[in-house]
Amino acid sequence: MAAGWYWGAAVKATLAALVCVLLSAQAAWSQVELLPRVPRRVLFDVEAVDPPEAATQRALDAALQRVPDFLYSRISELQPVVRVYEPAQANSIVRTVVDPEGSLVSVALIEAGVELQRFELAVTGELDVLTGFVNHTARELAPVLGFVVPEVVVIRQPDDDPRAQVVRDVVLADQLASRFEFTLWASGLMRSLESGDDAGRARIAIDPLAFDATWFFRRNAGLTGSIWLHYSDLLYFGRTPDGDPARDQTSSLFLLPGVGITYRTLQRVSASAGATLYAGPAWVTNDSDVAIGEDEDGFDVWLEAGESTTVFYSLLMLHGGIGLSVTPRWTVRTRFCILISPRTLIGQEEGVNYPSAGSGGMFHYFSLGIGYRR
């Protein structure tokens, strides 16, 4: 019993540390925006550096004046952009500067008042050289002028206008549609699947504990990785020589990793459903002074008094629940779960290397969870 408690405390501490590490690591992951992206708005302009009056015609000849137009046409062939004519409307500015003598042309990419790139050409008077400069500059700038996330502007409307609520719902759904969600679950009310005696009575407990990390490859559907930790005698193994359930005779520690799929809705009060398959080690200790085992065809000893062993154990969890989004980041959840050994679904429960009596699964009612979106 003391060994079981030691393992329980050690694994719970490890799980808590793992939760902290995963949350910290995930903060460094780049968040992929779920809003549809739109072409970037770009201002193409030309500027002469105070050309002397006598040099004006030479510096701003027709070809040099049209460099912004040439750049826009060539960039648009490589990367769709929207040309605008006011700086306040632009995501980026492509500024062409011609020196007073018309002998040097420079093109600069500017965003938020900061110059990011610059290209220069010494003008020779040959049109092919200028064309090559425009083509080279366009090829360098096109990958940088990619699509952007649109700005969402909510225009204030009367509270009784149904369109205002539609806008608020859409904005909230986009805020809730994160790529990653992390949830820490505590058991709540649970009951064994076994019938007869008092096996069906419900218990209130904190564990099993579960930590879920879900990556949503679509707005409503995601893949879940999970860790399930349970230490108790609710899932027991076998019976005593008298035929009594060994529930109070053994202690069991389960540390099961799992993978699954999750579906969610995107409202303030949301719903979720999914399935997770767990498989991993279970440490079982016979804490009593009698043997435990099977009693199908006479009594077969599995664990003598005081013995411990490790088995490979699996559970399939089917769950559905609801959640309340307190903020776009944090959600309080509750769910109903049924956990059952997958072998029982295909009639292979006799193929395990441990007594199957008492270890078939359990119900969870009103499990409580705290979820974080990223």
Side-chain angles (χ1 to χ4, degrees):
M1 186 67 177
W5 279 111
Y6 171 79
W7 277 105
V11 174
K12 289 179 182 179
T14 302
L15 180 61
L18 179 62
V19 170
C20 296
V21 170
L22 288 176
L23 285 176
S24 300
Q26 201 283 327
W29 297 350
S30 58
Q31 172 65 34
V32 180
E33 297 287 350
L34 295 177
L35 288 173
R37 293 178 176 251
V38 297
R40 183 184 297 263
R41 300 188 303 276
V42 183
L43 170 66
F44 293 85
D45 65 356
V46 62
E47 175 184 334
V49 182
D50 300 326
E53 185 174 348
T56 299
Q57 184 62 34
R58 184 170 64 252
L60 297 178
D61 61 21
L64 294 179
Q65 291 184 55
R66 295 201 60 192
V67 167
D69 299 327
F70 297 151
L71 285 171
Y72 168 64
S73 299
R74 188 70 183 99
I75 290 174
S76 295
E77 295 175 4
L78 304 172
Q79 170 65 50
V81 296
V82 175
R83 188 172 187 179
V84 297
Y85 297 91
E86 297 293 335
Q89 300 174 341
N91 300 114
S92 304
I93 298 175
V94 176
R95 175 162 295 151
T96 302
V97 179
V98 182
D99 80 333
E101 302 301 326
S103 59
L104 182 66
V105 176
S106 65
V107 176
L109 173 62
I110 302 171
E111 292 185 5
V114 178
E115 182 178 306
L116 302 181
Q117 290 181 270
R118 175 177 287 271
F119 307 87
E120 294 184 344
L121 170 69
V123 179
T124 63
E126 297 180 11
L127 185 58
D128 290 345
V129 175
L130 181 60
T131 302
F133 171 72
V134 169
N135 289 335
H136 170 75
T137 304
R139 286 194 299 270
E140 294 294 323
L141 289 179
V144 185
L145 300 176
F147 285 9
V148 296
V149 177
E151 296 181 8
V152 178
V153 179
V154 180
I155 301 175
R156 183 171 179 80
Q157 294 177 310
D159 293 337
D160 58 351
D161 189 336
R163 293 173 296 181
Q165 184 59 47
V166 172
V167 171
R168 287 194 292 269
D169 291 344
V170 170
V171 172
L172 178 62
D174 283 328
Q175 292 175 329
L176 298 179
S178 59
R179 282 288 186 183
F180 298 95
E181 283 192 13
F182 302 93
T183 307
L184 182 63
W185 292 98
S187 172
L189 189 65
M190 59 184 180
R191 181 171 63 85
S192 170
L193 292 178
E194 297 295 310
S195 60
D197 300 324
D198 64 345
R201 65 186 176 92
R203 305 182 184 184
I204 298 178
I206 294 179
D207 72 321
L209 298 175
F211 175 71
D212 295 345
T214 303
W215 167 61
F216 286 91
F217 56 89
R218 294 186 178 177
R219 287 171 68 90
N220 298 100
L223 298 176
T224 296
S226 184
I227 297 177
W228 191 78
L229 175 67
H230 180 48
Y231 179 79
S232 77
D233 59 359
L234 187 65
L235 291 177
Y236 60 91
F237 293 83
R239 299 180 180 274
T240 66
D242 296 332
D244 297 326
R247 185 184 309 105
D248 297 326
Q249 315 297 324
T250 64
S251 57
S252 306
L253 173 64
F254 302 83
L255 181 60
L256 309 181
V259 294
I261 189 166
T262 299
Y263 174 83
R264 68 178 178 184
T265 61
L266 298 172
Q267 293 89 29
R268 178 78 63 186
V269 178
S270 59
S272 64
T276 304
L277 178 63
Y278 293 98
W283 294 269
V284 185
T285 301
N286 182 357
D287 300 316
S288 69
D289 54 2
V290 298
I292 59 173
E294 295 275 16
D295 61 352
E296 296 293 332
D297 300 312
F299 186 76
D300 294 325
V301 176
W302 182 57
L303 279 183
E304 294 286 356
E307 283 189 345
S308 299
T309 190
T310 303
V311 299
F312 179 81
Y313 191 77
S314 61
L315 280 174
L316 175 64
M317 175 191 286
L318 306 176
H319 60 86
I322 60 174
L324 173 63
S325 296
V326 182
T327 71
R329 293 287 188 188
W330 294 95
T331 302
V332 179
R333 307 179 187 277
T334 185
R335 68 181 180 181
F336 167 82
C337 310
I338 178 173
L339 296 100
I340 188 169
S341 173
R343 291 179 176 271
T344 63
L345 300 178
I346 56 176
Q348 298 296 318
E349 62 270 22
E350 299 299 328
V352 298
N353 62 342
Y354 52 80
S356 58
S359 63
M362 66 180 78
F363 290 106
H364 287 186
Y365 307 93
F366 308 112
S367 296
L368 298 178
I370 300 294
Y372 176 74
R373 296 183 180 86
R374 184 67 183 179

